[in-house]
Amino acid sequence: MGCAPADYAGKPVIAIINTWSDINPCHSHLRERAEEVKKGVWQAGGFPVEMPALTLGETFQKPTTMMYRNLLAMETEELLRSYPADGCVLLGGCDKTTPALLMGAISMNLPAIYVPAGPMLRGNWRGKILGSGSDVTKYWTERRAGNIDLQAWTEIETGIARSAGTCMTMGTASTMTSLTEVLGFTLTGATSIPAVDSNHPRMANCSGRRIVEMVWEGLRPRDILSETSFNNAIAAVFALGGSTNAVIHLIAMAGRAGIKIGLDRFDEFSRKTPMLANIRPSGKYLMEDFYYAGGLPALLRKLSPHLDLSCKTITGKTLGENISGAEVFQPDVIRSLDNPVLASGGLAILRGNLAPEGAVIKASAAEPHLLQHTGRAVVFDSFDEMNARLDDPALDVDANSVLVLRNAGPKGAPGMPEWGNLPLPQKVLKNGVRDMVRISDARMSGTSYGACVLHVSPESFVGGPLALVKEGDLIELDVPARRLNLRVSDEELARRRAVWRPKPSIYPRGYGKLFMEHIKQAHEGCDFDFLEGTAAIPEPEIH
Ligand code: FES
């Protein structure tokens, strides 16, 4: 390696866990950022060692990145355990990379700092601003309705991702990096900086310097995490109009710190927390605007009455001290408590005979008239069956129908892909309809919208009630009452259950087999059962 003893002797070894890869466009700048982190580590008297780790690239990974979140978490933990690291800097940002890296670091409990990839620049098409994901869904719907030709569609594709960085709507990536900052794992304001802004490499450099100090201070993840800091993060989900995926990831992250969070905690905070970030898909602007408006610190300062500002952070200061000087520069982008985008209720936890362990709906992203709706079920047994039948003119469906997709959960798909915003049948689209009630045990991209009931638990693959729904059954959704019911008698459901048979797993060996044997359900955070908790693991001996 060409290192002299003076380079490393007596210095903290800082592992830079880098999820850069050619296959992940959101992380295409992370090699350069790793160099900035190294520079900072050297400046502060540490010894940096870059360690490549599995990348979870939303755009290409099959069947879904969610299948591999726990694998990256395991890799992170074991890299830090098996090599002689004293502290770590985690480089990620594309959706699942953030919870995965943090889950591993929380379990290992070495001093850790997160360097978020940062959002990409705004998209642009014929003078219109494009937002990641949300506008893909919107314009793809118009293309399927015959309103957009191939030339226009190709232009949209080439105009929507203009730089390195993560999706620039308040999708899962920006939600999770923001929550990471709220939990205290980043430098103040780090998560709002666009990936290609010159402040981004400066932030990476400062993170490199700070981690060395943290090692000397002995400041570890579980020193800063608490039930209160997770409550702050849950409040922030709603203030940001954040992704439904945050529910699963926060439960899993808290589980690694030995903190138990139930679904009802999210409902409780949703009812009392106003949405202040006017960002798509639930608002108007994009992450670049959010940064210019003051970014996350400014939003948190506005949200202060709903937060516990005494929580510790990796800066060595409290959350309150970190945001004390933050200001809002564009009041329509970051709203105040007396002028919120939405007063409360952005997300609801539903229960009923169709979801005994709960389901999630992003009420703020649905057409309001669908929030209390009863309709006949149109049932798809798999994603392939849905694609094959959806546009069949013979499909018995209208705007009042309820589309049901099953076998799309943690074990059923497997991996719980983002299939939950089922596309609307062409028959309905042609009548000008743009939203319908949809129910599944899948997840939904944080950039998507619609009256989509997600994360139905337990999932159909393990015999959850979704498995018993028949075509034409009446399903009742009542979001104000937090209800999701199948209007079928208990006796009839018992008859259906008696003849229901589970499908076999498709994995005879390998990671898929391990996944099927150990993955937990959506309401439990989808961690592997053997990774939860804080039981101490012995340090490997050095011989
Ligand atoms: Fe990577 Fe959206 S595809 S953040």
Side-chain angles (χ1 to χ4, degrees), residues 4 56 127 203 283 300 304 321 367 424 487 504:
L56 307 178
M203 175 272 292
L300 294 178
S304 292
E321 287 169 329
E367 285 191 10
L424 303 195
R487 287 207 189 147

Side-chain angles (χ1 to χ4, degrees), residues 24-27 56-59 93-95 120 132 165-168 172-174 445 447:
N24 191 342
C26 310
H27 294 184
L56 307 178
E58 287 297 314
T59 39
C94 192
D95 296 19
M120 64 175 100
S132 314
T166 50
C167 291
M168 72 327 228
T172 305
S174 293
S445 163
T447 61

Side-chain angles (χ1 to χ4, degrees), residues 300-352:
L300 294 178
R301 189 152 177 230
K302 288 284 176 200
L303 190 66
S304 292
H306 293 263
L307 300 172
D308 186 327
L309 299 178
S310 67
C311 290
K312 281 190 198 169
T313 73
I314 58 92
T315 64
K317 299 181 182 149
T318 63
L319 182 64
E321 287 169 329
N322 287 346
I323 63 172
S324 63
E327 284 180 61
V328 172
F329 304 113
Q330 293 175 23
D332 192 39
V333 181
I334 299 174
R335 300 287 189 83
S336 54
L337 290 176
D338 53 11
N339 181 32
V341 182
L342 185 75
S344 64
L347 180 142
I349 302 300
L350 309 167
R351 289 182 204 274

